Amino acid sequence: MWLLFLLVACVAAALSCAQLCRAAVAVARATGPAPRPAPAPVPDTAAPDGSAAGLTLYEMAYLSGGPHRLADVVLVLMAQQRRLLLAHTGWATVVDPVGQDPVERATLSAIGPDGQRRIPAIREALVADEAVRAVGDRLVAAGLALPAAARGLRNAVRQVQGATVLALLCAAAAYATAPAGEDRGQLLIWFTLPLILTLGTLAVARFELHPYSDWATDAGEERLPGRPGFTTFTPSSPAPVAPLASLMTLALHGPRALTDPALRAALHSSGA
């Protein structure tokens, strides 16, 4: 019986480590060593004329959490400027049907002519919209974002971590079900093989690939706040209601970092 547990642990470890290696190779191929020019800023209401020295809020959001994070940023931005109403039940209602940039206009189109829609549906419509894809395409072309073929590194790391836990559980099960008289210490030694494979792979990944990102390349990570090489931008004119610091926090860390409980409840209740 213990051989069956050992087989399960070894197969899970081998498959998950192979998947992580495949993801790492895809990332390496996508992130060439040659520097590429910075992308043209995407116009947003934090910098109405598009004159930003570094990344815009939309670009920060995309590099930090992909198109779903970008969708959250534009929804909160419009809500803080009183052009959308985000209810804690997860509904968005249009107050001002005039978009100030292509992403805002896409948001209004995603809400539809009724002027009200569930936030998850808006988010999914925005992810597929050309205006949001254009942000990602420019970042990919500039070498700051990973192309679609190179995504999945974070999930591959989680799979190896899961295989490690599975190996420990299989070892415990084999130990508990070992027949009387079996050398249980010798039995457990066999389970060090999948553990060495998974833990060794995780150690290499931690050293070579961390931070694990499905969106930003190393160059993109360096352009984000808190990393060397980050260039801070200053809005050419202050946004009247939307606090820049709050929006940057959302762009970089997601809805859980919002301090406004109403906005946090709206995004969380909608599955964010």
Side-chain angles (χ1 to χ4, degrees):
M1 176 63 76
W2 71 269
L3 286 174
L4 179 60
F5 289 121
L6 178 61
L7 179 62
V8 170
C10 289
V11 170
L15 291 178
S16 62
C17 290
Q19 182 65 26
L20 178 54
C21 291
R22 182 179 178 182
V25 170
V27 170
R29 288 176 177 173
T31 55
R36 301 177 185 177
V42 179
D44 62 34
T45 50
D49 62 356
S51 58
L55 298 174
T56 66
L57 286 171
Y58 293 161
E59 292 167 339
M60 289 184 192
Y62 190 96
L63 292 177
S64 299
H68 285 82
R69 182 73 56 78
L70 192 159
D72 286 339
V73 166
V74 69
L75 287 171
V76 171
L77 174 63
M78 296 178 72
Q80 289 184 337
Q81 293 184 341
R82 305 294 190 267
R83 291 184 288 123
L84 282 184
L85 175 63
L86 302 183
H88 70 279
T89 54
W91 285 85
T93 303
V94 175
V95 177
D96 180 3
V98 179
Q100 299 183 8
D101 60 57
V103 177
E104 288 193 4
R105 289 190 286 272
T107 302
L108 295 172
S109 297
I111 295 174
D114 293 337
Q116 189 176 57
R117 196 177 184 186
R118 292 279 298 173
I119 292 176
I122 300 170
R123 191 183 286 121
E124 293 305 319
L126 277 175
V127 167
D129 191 88
E130 182 180 351
V132 174
R133 289 201 306 269
V135 177
D137 290 344
R138 279 196 289 270
L139 290 170
V140 170
L144 301 181
L146 292 170
R151 294 168 194 160
L153 180 62
R154 191 189 304 271
N155 184 57
V157 170
R158 291 196 185 105
Q159 290 180 5
V160 178
Q161 293 170 339
T164 303
V165 175
L166 179 61
L168 292 172
L169 293 176
C170 286
Y175 185 88
T177 59
E182 185 80 29
D183 187 350
R184 298 189 178 186
Q186 186 71 23
L187 179 150
L188 292 178
I189 290 176
W190 285 101
F191 285 91
T192 60
L193 297 177
L195 286 173
I196 289 173
L197 178 59
T198 57
L199 293 175
T201 302
L202 287 173
V204 173
R206 176 76 181 185
F207 181 77
E208 296 288 344
L209 303 173
H210 194 268
Y212 313 123
S213 174
D214 287 336
W215 303 107
T217 63
D218 289 343
E221 289 282 349
E222 291 175 357
R223 295 287 296 276
L224 293 173
R227 297 297 301 272
F230 166 67
T231 305
T232 304
F233 70 88
T234 303
S236 57
S237 63
V241 184
L244 181 59
S246 172
L247 291 169
M248 286 184 63
T249 300
L250 171 63
L252 296 172
H253 304 293
R256 290 177 177 81
L258 287 172
T259 56
D260 187 328
L263 289 174
R264 190 169 61 246
L267 296 178
H268 282 167
S269 67
S270 64

